[in-house]
Structure formats: structure tokens, C-alpha cells
């Protein structure tokens, strides 16, 4: 039993890294995702296609592969071209990969949120003389944000779990802490049970909060 | 003031408007009547380019309306929708001030003062800080009218403004519209309210199948229609 407790405590040491990467990534993802969603809904075919390709490429490849490309592939490519480059800290490419990855998923969430806003809202805004971008900013996006908040929360939960693949590129987060302790002690089962418990500790309360907010919003909607 | 020349509109291969010619003068009230699917709403929506005309021209004060000047032109045309389309995330007051402040650059103080005057005019000054969802349909539509008026339009477009309302709320909206007509605001109204058309309209047009079948004063078109299609439509509408 003591070993399980030890394993749990070891995994807990990874919480700051896991939470920091997830949190920064979800913010980057939301900003770029909003931008991508607007491109996806643009009238210009070239802009729409660029966004679509980005989303397809990111969603069509595993994040662990993307992580290896960013963490090791890009420095190697630059060095081969005589550019002196290495990541000061592997957390940096980790955050970038998670953020860019999350942006692709977020883009689809935002797009569905924007499309869920009644068509009459855009028409009313335009009929008052607003440009399309002003109508988006003042009328459509504020309403879409409310609609997608639960989905964005769920994306955050997913991202927390997904960051475990960053252990493969050497980021010392929850999963990596467990793996290192396992390598040192061969307490394999307690190590990974500890890791699993820590992820649950992070994700389950978060899911509960999202569910609560969602329920409250639905209640307001009905009122 | 508004001049429509040979307006055509198709959705795919479906021809909705087949050559509409019409003018609306200053302080004139034009009512458009006709069966569903006759193109009434499409014609109205073409005027402020919520639907892009397939061909034909629309002029406001002699100026051709194009994609380039549409935002400018829309400031001069208010529109009221069947389904109100108030902004649910904004209070009643904000619904009315948002366009003057952001589109025209009016100060908040000035915009709010004007909004309160308009709310008084539609009888809702006590609802300024409420959100649209706490208002009845009739109240929402009156706010929507105030919102459109806040831009000081030269002409108001009404797209079946009472069709989504419970019967007991139709009167309050029509009475606001009658007041506007009396004040001399030019209005184009797509409506099924024959009583309103008769009382307020300077001109009535009956549309069917994408064309104007008959037009004239309310007395001519509603009381004494000449075309068989108009007679048929009115006999069905007025008998209920």
C-alpha cells in the first residue's frame, strides 16, 4: 500500500508541468482556433482552403508524431542547414505542439458555435449598417462563446490527458514522473496506478465543474 | 425615394422574382400583400441586399445600391423582421444603442438619451434594463422597431412584423406602426393585416408568383380588385 501512495506522490510532482502545458495550450488553441474558424467561414476560397488543410493535417496525424517533429525534427533540420538551434527547454515545443493541435479541434468547436447562432442575428446586425466583421465581433461571437463554453471545457479535459504523450519527447510531466520512478524502482503497477490517479484527480473535478456550468446555462436558457 | 427597376431574383433554378418595377416616394406607405411564396419578403430583402438581386437595379434617392455602398445605404433603411431578431445577450437599451454607437460613432450618453425617447414612443421605457427574453413577443417587436428607428432611417422595411405574434399582441405593434406612418416616415410593409393596409397604406401591391399582379390605392386593390388572382386571394383572406 505504501508503494501506491509513493507512486501517487511521485506522479503529483508532475502536476505543475501538466497543468501549465495544458492551460497555456488551451489558451493558444482558443485564440488560433477562433482565427481558424473565421477563416473557415470566410467568403474567400483560398483562406477557407488554407484553414481546412491545417485542420485536416493536424487532426489526421497523432500528436506524438507532431511532438517529435517539433521537439527533435525541426532542430535537426535547422542544424543540417547550418542554423545553430536547440530548444532551451523541451516544454517550449511541447506547449507549441499542444496549442497548435488544440487549435485545430477548437476551430471546429468555434465554427459550430458560430453556425449555431440564429441566422437572423447576422441579418439584424447587417440591416443596422454593421459590417460583417463588426457584426461578428459585437453580435455573433459573444453568443457563440456561450454556446461553446462546455465544449471548450471538454477540450481542456482531453488536452490534459493528451499531454501524457509529451513524456515521449522528454517533458517531465505527470506521466514522465511515473515512468522515471518505474525505471528506478521497477514498481511498475504502483507507478502507473499513481499516474492514473493523478490524471483522474485533474480531470474528474474539471468535468464536474463543466457539467455544472452547462446545467446552469441550460437552466437560464429555459427561464 | 426608393426606385426598383426590373428586379429579378432566383434561388438556383427557382425564379422567385420575375421583373419587379416599383417606386416609393417620401412619406409614402407601401403595403405588399399576396400568398406565401409569392416573393413579397424576397422583394423586401432585396431592397437592402439581405438577398443579392440576380439582376435589376434598386435606387435610393437616385443612388444605385451596390455591394460597395450597402453599409452606408443600410444606415438609411430600418428593417423589422418577422422573428424580431433582438440581440439576446444585450439589454433592451443596449439593443437600441449598439448600432448608433458603433456604426455612427454617437456617444453613449447621446445614444442612451435617444434610446429612452424611442422606448417612450413605443411605450416601453420601463423595460430599458431588461433582457429580450423577459419580454412578450409584442414588446420585443416594439423594441425592434425602436432599434431600427435609432439609426434615423429615411425608410422602414417591415417583413411580416406581426405574423409571429399572438393575436392579442398584434394591435400594439400595428398601433406603433400607424403612428410612424402618421409622422410621415416612408414605409414598405409586407403584411397579411388587411385592416392595417386599408387604413395606413397609400399604395397596395398584390404579388403572386414573382410578379406584381395589381397595384393601386387600398380602395382599388383591396375593396375593388380587378384581377381574378387578386379577387381569389382576398376572398380567402377576408372571409376568415
Amino acid at each position: 500500500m505504501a508503494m501506491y501512495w509513493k507512486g501517487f506522490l511521485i506522479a503529483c510532482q508532475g502536476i505543475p508541468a501538466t497543468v501549465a502545458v495544458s492551460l497555456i495550450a488551451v489558451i493558444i488553441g482558443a485564440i488560433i482556433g477562433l482565427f481558424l474558424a473565421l477563416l473557415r467561414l470566410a467568403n474567400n476560397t483560398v483562406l477557407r482552403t488554407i484553414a481546412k488543410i491545417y485542420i485536416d493535417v493536424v487532426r489526421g496525424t497523432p500528436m506524438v508524431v507532431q511532438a517529435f517533429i517539433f521537439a527533435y525534427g525541426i532542430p535537426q533540420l535547422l542544424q543540417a542547414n547550418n542554423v545553430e538551434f536547440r530548444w532551451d527547454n523541451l516544454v517550449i515545443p511541447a506547449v507549441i505542439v499542444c496549442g497548435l493541435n488544440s487549435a485545430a479541434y477548437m476551430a471546429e468547436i468555434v465554427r459550430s458555435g458560430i453556425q449555431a447562432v440564429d441566422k437572423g442575428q447576422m441579418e439584424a446586425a447587417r440591416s443596422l449598417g454593421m459590417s460583417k466583421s463588426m457584426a461578428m465581433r459585437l453580435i455573433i461571437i459573444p453568443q457563440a462563446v456561450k454556446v461553446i463554453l462546455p465544449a471548450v471545457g471538454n477540450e481542456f479535459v482531453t488536452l490534459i490527458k493528451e499531454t501524457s504523450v509529451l513524456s515521449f519527447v522528454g517533458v517531465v510531466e505527470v506521466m514522465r514522473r511515473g515512468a522515471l520512478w518505474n525505471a528506478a524502482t521497477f514498481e511498475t503497477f504502483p507507478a502507473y496506478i499513481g499516474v492514473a490517479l493523478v490524471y483522474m484527480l485533474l480531470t474528474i473535478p474539471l468535468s464536474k465543474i463543466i457539467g455544472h456550468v452547462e446545467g446552469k446555462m441550460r437552466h437560464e436558457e429555459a427561464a | 425615394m426608393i426606385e426598383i427597376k426590373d428586379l429579378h431574383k432566383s434561388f438556383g433554378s427557382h425564379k422567385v422574382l420575375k421583373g419587379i418595377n416599383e417606386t416609393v416616394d417620401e412619406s409614402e406607405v407601401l403595403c405588399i400583400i399576396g400568398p406565401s411564396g409569392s416573393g413579397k419578403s424576397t422583394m423586401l430583402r432585396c431592397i437592402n441586399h439581405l438577398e443579392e438581386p440576380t439582376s435589376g437595379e434598386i435606387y435610393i434617392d437616385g443612388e444605385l445600391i451596390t455591394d460597395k455602398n450597402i453599409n452606408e445605404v443600410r444606415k438609411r433603411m430600418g428593417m423589422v423582421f418577422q422573428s424580431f431578431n433582438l440581440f439576446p445577450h444585450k439589454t433592451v437599451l443596449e439593443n437600441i444603442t449598439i448600432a448608433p454607437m458603433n456604426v455612427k460613432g454617437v456617444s453613449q450618453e447621446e445614444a442612451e438619451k435617444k434610446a429612452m425617447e424611442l422606448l417612450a414612443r413605443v411605450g416601453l421605457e420601463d423595460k430599458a434594463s431588461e433582457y429580450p427574453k423577459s419580454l412578450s413577443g409584442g414588446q420585443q417587436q416594439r423594441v425592434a422597431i425602436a432599434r431600427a428607428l435609432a439609426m434615423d432611417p429615411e425608410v422602414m422595411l417591415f417583413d411580416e412584423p406581426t405574423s409571429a405574434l399572438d393575436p392579442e399582441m398584434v394591435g400594439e405593434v400595428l398601433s406603433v406602426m400607424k403612428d410612424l406612418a402618421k409622422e410621415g416616415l416612408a414605409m414598405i410593409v409586407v403584411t397579411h393585416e388587411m385592416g392595417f393596409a386599408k387604413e395606413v397604406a397609400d399604395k397596395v401591391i398584390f404579388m403572386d408568383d414573382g410578379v406584381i399582379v395589381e397595384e393601386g390605392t387600398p380602395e382599388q386593390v383591396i375593396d375593388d380588385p380587378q384581377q381574378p388572382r387578386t379577387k381569389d386571394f382576398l376572398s380567402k383572406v377576408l372571409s376568415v
Side-chain angles (χ1 to χ4, degrees):
Chain A
M1 204 58 212
M3 276 303 156
Y4 289 94
W5 181 241
K6 188 85 200 296
F8 174 72
L9 290 179
I10 294 283
C12 278
Q13 293 169 3
I15 290 176
T18 291
V19 171
V21 169
S22 308
L23 201 60
I24 298 169
V26 91
I27 292 165
I28 294 174
I31 295 166
I32 301 178
L34 171 64
F35 183 67
L36 282 171
L38 292 175
L39 289 185
R40 283 278 275 140
L41 296 167
N43 288 328
N44 186 310
T45 322
V46 177
L47 296 179
R48 268 207 320 266
T49 311
I50 291 171
K52 185 78 173 69
I53 290 172
Y54 178 91
I55 292 166
D56 285 349
V57 167
V58 170
R59 297 211 304 177
T61 51
M63 191 160 88
V64 66
V65 177
Q66 297 162 10
F68 272 100
I69 291 173
F70 267 79
Y72 300 126
I74 288 177
Q76 190 274 332
L77 178 73
L78 290 172
Q79 280 155 19
N81 288 288
N82 295 318
V83 181
E84 196 47 51
F85 180 83
R86 54 193 293 265
W87 298 108
D88 293 332
N89 188 330
L90 282 171
V91 172
I92 298 167
V95 167
I96 294 172
V97 164
C98 288
L100 293 181
N101 189 283
S102 177
Y105 291 90
M106 212 75 99
E108 294 299 275
I109 294 171
V110 174
R111 185 174 65 101
S112 70
I114 288 172
Q115 286 176 333
V117 176
D118 186 84
K119 206 167 111 272
Q121 292 289 308
M122 179 56 100
E123 291 190 343
R126 296 304 303 274
S127 78
L128 289 163
M130 291 189 196
S131 64
K132 195 175 172 191
S133 60
M134 186 189 283
M136 271 287 175
R137 183 164 54 83
L138 296 175
I139 306 299
I140 308 299
I141 292 174
Q143 294 183 57
V145 165
K146 242 185 119 175
V147 177
I148 65 175
L149 228 41
V152 171
N154 287 328
E155 171 61 20
F156 187 36
V157 171
T158 304
L159 201 56
I160 288 174
K161 292 182 289 175
E162 288 272 291
T163 55
S164 60
V165 305
L166 298 173
S167 64
F168 288 114
V169 296
V171 179
V172 190
E173 36 65 83
V174 172
M175 176 67 185
R176 184 75 173 167
R177 291 278 176 188
L180 289 171
W181 189 64
N182 168 50
T185 63
F186 296 108
E187 293 287 354
T188 309
F189 195 67
Y192 292 118
I193 289 295
V195 168
L197 285 173
V198 170
Y199 280 113
M200 281 167 64
L201 189 71
L202 293 175
T203 55
I204 291 176
L206 197 56
S207 297
K208 283 264 181 288
I209 293 168
I210 295 161
H212 183 72
V213 172
E214 200 172 2
K216 213 170 138 188
M217 267 167 53
R218 206 168 287 152
H219 186 74
E220 267 176 32
E221 210 65 26
Chain B
M1 152 183 266
I2 301 270
E3 196 176 358
I4 301 167
K5 281 188 183 163
D6 198 29
L7 175 66
H8 288 255
K9 174 68 185 176
S10 305
F11 293 104
S13 61
H14 181 51
K15 292 193 176 88
V16 180
L17 297 178
K18 303 168 182 171
I20 302 285
N21 291 285
E22 191 56 57
T23 56
V24 179
D25 294 328
E26 218 157 298
S27 64
E28 192 173 47
V29 177
L30 170 70
C31 283
I32 308 172
I33 61 171
S36 327
S38 59
K40 318 183 287 292
S41 288
T42 305
M43 170 183 161
L44 192 75
R45 291 161 58 83
C46 279
I47 295 175
N48 69 350
H49 277 221
L50 283 184
E51 302 291 353
E52 192 90 15
T54 305
S55 71
E57 284 136 32
I58 300 163
Y59 296 86
I60 178 165
D61 300 327
E63 182 187 351
L64 179 66
I65 301 174
T66 64
D67 285 348
K68 295 224 161 47
N69 66 7
I70 188 62
N71 287 341
E72 281 306 311
V73 166
R74 281 178 180 146
K75 292 179 202 169
R76 291 145 66 186
M77 293 183 182
M79 180 144 185
V80 175
F81 300 86
Q82 184 177 345
S83 49
F84 329 133
N85 295 346
L86 291 180
F87 306 133
H89 61 305
K90 300 281 179 194
T91 64
V92 164
L93 190 71
E94 288 165 345
N95 262 276
I96 302 173
T97 57
I98 192 166
M101 283 169 61
N102 290 281
V103 176
K104 280 190 167 172
V106 175
S107 72
Q108 181 172 355
E109 194 188 4
E110 205 179 318
E112 285 181 354
K113 186 165 158 271
K114 175 95 190 268
M116 289 311 295
E117 284 169 19
L118 288 167
L119 280 174
R121 203 156 137 192
V122 300
L124 292 170
E125 61 267 66
D126 56 330
K127 301 289 185 190
S129 56
E130 307 266 341
Y131 281 87
K133 70 178 173 195
S134 67
L135 269 53
S136 72
Q139 290 170 334
Q140 288 193 41
Q141 194 60 300
R142 284 186 281 155
V143 172
I145 293 172
R147 177 176 70 176
L149 291 174
M151 293 294 284
D152 282 322
E154 297 164 29
V155 55
M156 287 280 282
L157 313 176
F158 290 88
D159 188 4
E160 300 198 28
T162 58
S163 298
L165 296 176
D166 290 337
E168 72 266 30
M169 290 171 187
V170 170
E172 64 192 63
V173 171
L174 291 181
S175 107
V176 168
M177 291 169 64
K178 280 175 201 166
D179 290 345
L180 292 176
K182 272 185 214 137
E183 287 163 29
L185 186 64
M187 295 168 39
I188 305 177
V189 187
V190 172
T191 187
H192 291 293
E193 298 292 334
M194 294 306 148
F196 173 83
K198 248 164 132 170
E199 187 183 333
V200 178
D202 297 300
K203 187 159 67 180
V204 174
I205 61 180
F206 171 72
M207 280 180 71
D208 193 14
D209 200 23
V211 295
I212 296 175
V213 175
E214 191 160 355
E215 81 173 272
T217 63
E219 292 74 26
Q220 288 167 332
V221 177
I222 298 175
D223 296 336
D224 187 23
Q226 301 302 310
Q227 299 292 328
R229 273 192 284 174
T230 318
K231 282 182 191 168
D232 182 51
F233 173 75
L234 285 168
S235 72
K236 283 176 191 154
V237 179
L238 295 175
S239 65
V240 283

